[in-house]
């Protein structure tokens, strides 16, 4: 079976990092996901206002739903643990979705 074409590995080869890129392609894609999440988070925070728009309403419902789900499972004392669990969940979900994109 032939190896898949990995766009970001080829990009690292252009910068002279071919050995690193071929040895650790999953690290490169992990960095890409982290940069993507940081950029999306910065864009989302930029538009926060007291009168929420459609996107802000959507994300507030999503986060509050995840938080209530966590509190239902772990109890009220698990509320302080929610930010780390939600961060790990979002990271893993985006990594899995990135794996479905060809290239």
């Amino acid at each position: 079976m032939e190896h898949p074409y990995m766009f970001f590995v080829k990009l690292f080869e252009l910068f002279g990092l071919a050995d690193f890129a071929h040895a650790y392609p999953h690290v490169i894609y992990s960095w890409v996901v982290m940069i993507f999440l940081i950029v999306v988070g910065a864009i989302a925070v930029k538009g926060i206002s007291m009168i929420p728009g459609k996107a802000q309403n959507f994300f507030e419902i999503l986060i509050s739903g995840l938080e209530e789900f966590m509190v239902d499972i772990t109890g009220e004392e698990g509320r302080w643990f929610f930010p780390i669990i939600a961060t790990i969940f979002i990271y893993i979900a985006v990594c899995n979705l990135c794996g479905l994109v060809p290239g």
Side-chain angles (χ1 to χ4, degrees), residues 6-16:
M6 296 187 177
F7 174 74
F8 291 108
V9 171
K10 297 297 181 188
L11 186 66
F12 270 58
E13 287 177 0
L14 293 176
F15 293 115

Side-chain angles (χ1 to χ4, degrees), residues 58-91:
F58 172 75
F59 285 113
E60 284 181 6
I61 290 171
L62 180 72
I63 296 299
S64 67
L66 285 172
E67 184 178 18
E68 291 302 317
F69 179 71
M70 175 98 178
V71 169
D72 286 345
I73 292 174
T74 61
E76 195 61 38
E77 61 274 356
R79 191 177 295 271
W80 67 272
F81 203 53
F82 171 72
I84 187 72
I85 296 297
T87 302
I88 293 169
F89 170 75
I90 292 169
Y91 172 74

Side-chain angles (χ1 to χ4, degrees), residues 44 47-62:
I48 291 179
S49 67
M50 289 301 292
I51 302 171
K54 293 177 184 177
Q56 186 176 346
N57 276 332
F58 172 75
F59 285 113
E60 284 181 6
I61 290 171
L62 180 72

